[in-house]
Amino acid sequence: MAKKTAATKSKVKYSKETYTFWYESMLLMRRFEEKAGQLYGQQKIRGFCHLYIGQEACASGAISALTPDDKWITAYRCHAHPLGLGTDPGAVMAELYGKATGTTKGKGGSMHIFDKEKNFMGGHGIVGAQIPMGLGMGFAEKYKGTKNLAICYMGDGAVRQGA
Ligand SMILES: Cc1ncc(C[n+]2csc(CCOP(=O)(O)OP(=O)(O)O)c2C)c(N)n1
């Protein structure tokens, strides 16, 4: 008999729409990052370019669990979250190219993708800088009396940065 795992014990059922969202959004993230990595290697994308390959589920799963009013922030590995939240992939790619049609008008580049409409607050190049800002975003919702969440992503390096 197969050993019971956390997954087989779970009574949670997900809809076909949720599974489809996970698959489509993770595939978009993966294909986008593969292309970005290729273009970076060809020096068409300049500056820094940190990819999210292998971590797609961390973004996609959270996006399906939260609401459009919740707030998002992460570090420089920031292409995938806006893609999952519905930001135009062309605008994210334009930002990587430094074009005026990019999400930050080409001034931010790969590490500084923002999309205020999707409540995606960056995209930050300073390791750990997203932690106090994410906390502030959470407090802002508390002060305003909403039930919105602020979700802050960080790597293990950022955890002990000090903030
Ligand atoms: C304050 C600061 N110190 C150092 C760096 C240089 N730096 C860039 S990425 C990185 C590693 C961060 O690791 P982690 O937070 O675990 O994120 P990961 O890249 O592994 O996703 C460092 C030290 C920086 N950007 N900011």
Side-chain angles (χ1 to χ4, degrees), residues 7-159:
T8 56
K9 274 189 212 161
S10 171
K11 298 222 170 18
V12 180
K13 296 265 182 274
Y14 297 102
S15 67
K16 189 177 174 187
E17 285 70 30
T18 302
Y19 280 111
T20 305
F21 170 76
W22 287 338
Y23 181 71
E24 287 182 352
S25 61
M26 288 194 288
L27 191 63
L28 172 65
M29 293 168 193
R30 176 64 64 97
R31 291 288 176 265
F32 185 97
E33 294 293 59
E34 285 170 348
K35 194 70 193 170
Q38 184 189 16
L39 294 166
Y40 189 63
Q42 294 170 349
Q43 298 193 339
K44 290 183 181 163
I45 293 170
R46 311 306 294 260
F48 289 98
C49 186
H50 303 85
L51 305 180
Y52 206 63
I53 287 177
Q55 300 178 70
E56 295 88 352
C58 301
S60 196
I63 291 165
S64 68
L66 271 62
T67 77
D69 291 327
D70 295 323
K71 309 291 185 281
W72 299 77
I73 189 166
T74 187
Y76 42 80
R77 215 175 282 287
C78 63
H79 312 156
H81 298 85
L83 293 178
L85 289 165
T87 303
D88 172 20
V92 180
M93 188 57 86
E95 189 59 40
L96 303 193
Y97 269 83
K99 291 187 176 178
T101 48
T103 49
T104 324
K105 299 190 167 67
K107 296 174 194 288
S110 161
M111 298 198 294
H112 305 105
I113 308 294
F114 280 74
D115 189 345
K116 193 166 175 283
E117 272 178 32
K118 304 288 180 197
N119 287 320
F120 183 72
M121 308 303 181
H124 297 274
I126 307 296
V127 171
Q130 76 274 30
I131 303 171
M133 286 191 279
L135 184 67
M137 284 156 52
F139 268 116
E141 296 304 314
K142 190 176 175 179
Y143 295 147
K144 285 190 271 185
T146 75
K147 296 235 181 282
N148 300 335
L149 304 177
I151 181 163
C152 175
Y153 284 74
M154 66 199 80
D156 53 343
V159 170

